[in-house]
Amino acid sequence: MLALIKTGAGPGLALETVPDPKVGIDDVLVRVERTGICGTDLHIDAWDAWAARTIEPPLIVGHEFVGEIVQVGSSVTDFAPGDRVSGEGHVVCGKCRHCLAGRRHLCARSIGLGVGRPGAFAEYVVLPYTNIWHHWPGVDPEVAAIFDPFGNAVHTALSFPVLGEDVLVSGAGPIGLMATAVVRHAGARHVVVSEPNPFRRELASRMGATLVVDPRERDLADVMAELGMVEGFDVALEMSGNADALRSAIDSMAHGGSIAMLGIPTEKVAVDFDPIVFKMLTLRGIYGREMYETWYKMTVMLQSGLDIKPAITHRFGFRDHEAAFAAARSGDSGKVIMDWTAAREAG
Ligand code: NAD
Ligand code: ZN
């Protein structure tokens, strides 16, 4: 099969022919139709310090996908060829305290698809059946392709109650954009999106932001005054990984407010703990998705009218992977999708 591979230590990815994956007794083999490019894939492509200490080439990259099951292992009874599915990208151990208690998102031994095991930027991908999500009828195939990052957005956005609350979203990358639509759908009052990139601010408005702000030009106290907010934000979703964004969120919270932290800082962040203590804030780290409550919530919110499709801005055939990665890297994009169906037609 054709697959997009990190062939050795250093920048770049190559489209190469590799053996088809082997299907174990508990595995599901999926013919990939569409994939989404994640920031993780950009890190692996660029071969930054994180990638250099984490990735062992050769590796097929990618973890956001939708496709069709073509084969199941002999122990698999709940899935069948023809099912349209996506994969949960965290393969958990299944044996630890949290896994056994059903809190699989807290497994300390989870292995990432396209990070610690062969990924989904390929004609075929294999996963254990416990990592497969069977899409309900009617889910848009492009939206299905990005259930993984959509799940990051939903997991973060719903980690604290937002009904009637004022919510700050820091960072309008693909995940912040989707989270904006989610908190709006979930009944937030004001949704303020802070984002330096004008292309993404414009998209955030389309996703339902009450107000978008360039943090370099205007501070949040000013925004709160315009909206008639008295105390501060009830909930903040940190989706930038930027130290200044985190500090200004902490400073702008109402007493008793909660910050869900998804963004991954690229360096250590110095934080003033005074406002955290005296305002009695809650800070919660968010990693991945809850298996499979988040997946259920994504599905039913789509059924009840949530629209995240405007967050998808670019589409490429898989052979144009360099252009696709360039679009994702540029920042002037939301989610970038690669289509793998042409591989099947050609082959
Ligand atoms: P992204 O890098 O595309 O988006 C981050 C956005 O933050 C960018 O648009 C950037 O312009 C903006 N930003 C930069 N400085 C800012 C500032 N001072 N204030 C406000 N915004 C600022 O990333 P993404 O794919 O949307 O993911 C969001 C974050 O979540 C990233 O940090 C990513 O690494 C992280 N992530 C975490 C998990 C997890 O499980 N915890 C999973 C996926 C991604
Ligand atoms: Zn575990």
Side-chain angles (χ1 to χ4, degrees):
M1 66 172 184
L2 284 166
L4 198 53
I5 299 181
K6 171 63 72 181
T7 55
L13 297 167
L15 193 61
E16 292 191 350
T17 301
V18 297
D20 287 354
K22 291 198 168 53
V23 186
I25 56 170
D26 289 327
D27 288 340
V28 167
L29 179 68
V30 179
R31 184 156 52 205
V32 176
E33 293 171 343
R34 288 181 179 78
T35 57
I37 298 177
C38 172
T40 302
D41 307 319
L42 300 181
H43 290 298
I44 298 172
D45 176 33
W47 202 248
D48 62 9
W50 169 84
R53 69 173 181 267
T54 311
I55 304 297
E56 286 178 29
L59 176 78
I60 303 172
V61 298
H63 56 273
E64 304 175 1
F65 74 94
V66 65
E68 184 183 326
I69 294 181
V70 288
Q71 190 186 332
V72 298
S74 56
S75 299
V76 179
T77 53
D78 293 342
F79 299 98
D83 291 350
R84 176 138 296 105
V85 299
S86 289
E88 161 56 54
H90 290 178
V91 180
V92 300
C93 79
K95 298 172 191 151
C96 70
R97 172 191 176 176
H98 289 304
C99 281
L100 290 174
R103 299 184 294 263
R104 287 180 276 184
H105 60 292
L106 293 177
C107 177
R109 294 185 217 140
S110 82
I111 294 170
L113 182 66
V115 176
R117 58 182 283 147
F121 289 176
E123 286 183 74
Y124 298 95
V125 63
V126 148
L127 273 172
Y129 75 90
T130 44
N131 277 68
I132 297 291
W133 175 262
H134 189 177
H135 285 291
W136 298 14
V139 175
D140 181 289
E142 288 189 339
V143 170
I146 57 166
F147 255 49
D148 176 293
F150 178 24
N152 293 131
V154 167
H155 187 188
T156 315
L158 301 186
S159 55
F160 299 105
V162 294
L163 177 63
E165 304 288 33
D166 293 334
V167 180
L168 170 68
V169 179
S170 299
I175 300 179
L177 289 168
M178 291 187 274
T180 299
V182 172
V183 289
R184 173 58 75 211
H185 185 80
R189 181 176 68 159
H190 297 314
V191 184
V192 172
V193 178
S194 175
E195 165 61 57
N197 178 320
F199 179 91
R200 290 181 162 183
R201 280 202 304 278
E202 157 68 22
L203 272 176
S205 296
R206 288 181 57 199
M207 301 302 284
T210 315
L211 193 153
V212 293
V213 56
D214 182 341
R216 298 164 304 182
E217 289 178 355
R218 196 177 174 198
D219 70 21
L220 292 171
D222 196 34
V223 168
M224 290 193 278
E226 180 186 329
L227 292 173
M229 289 171 53
V230 183
E231 262 206 46
F233 291 96
D234 306 297
V235 175
L237 311 179
E238 202 322 283
M239 304 199 141
S240 72
N242 181 283
D244 289 332
L246 175 61
R247 285 188 284 259
S248 82
I250 290 170
D251 289 341
S252 317
M253 298 307 290
H255 281 229
S258 304
I259 306 180
M261 299 186 39
L262 180 91
I264 303 170
T266 49
E267 53 194 41
K268 285 185 182 165
V269 176
V271 166
D272 179 2
F273 271 78
D274 270 17
I276 297 174
V277 173
F278 291 117
K279 293 202 275 187
M280 290 170 282
L281 303 183
T282 301
L283 272 67
R284 180 187 291 172
I286 304 288
Y287 184 52
R289 299 141 296 278
E290 288 189 17
M291 296 161 228
Y292 280 81
E293 179 65 8
T294 305
W295 294 73
Y296 176 87
K297 284 279 171 59
M298 287 188 263
T299 303
V300 296
M301 285 193 289
L302 291 173
Q303 289 186 330
S304 56
L306 173 66
D307 182 14
I308 59 153
K309 196 119 188 222
I312 302 170
T313 56
H314 292 71
R315 294 141 177 104
F316 295 90
F318 71 99
R319 289 186 194 281
D320 296 326
H321 61 90
E322 283 181 8
F325 272 68
R329 207 180 299 117
S330 75
D332 288 340
S333 53
K335 202 73 210 175
V336 178
I337 303 270
M338 286 194 291
D339 188 331
W340 291 80
T341 52
R344 186 185 338 168
E345 281 147 26

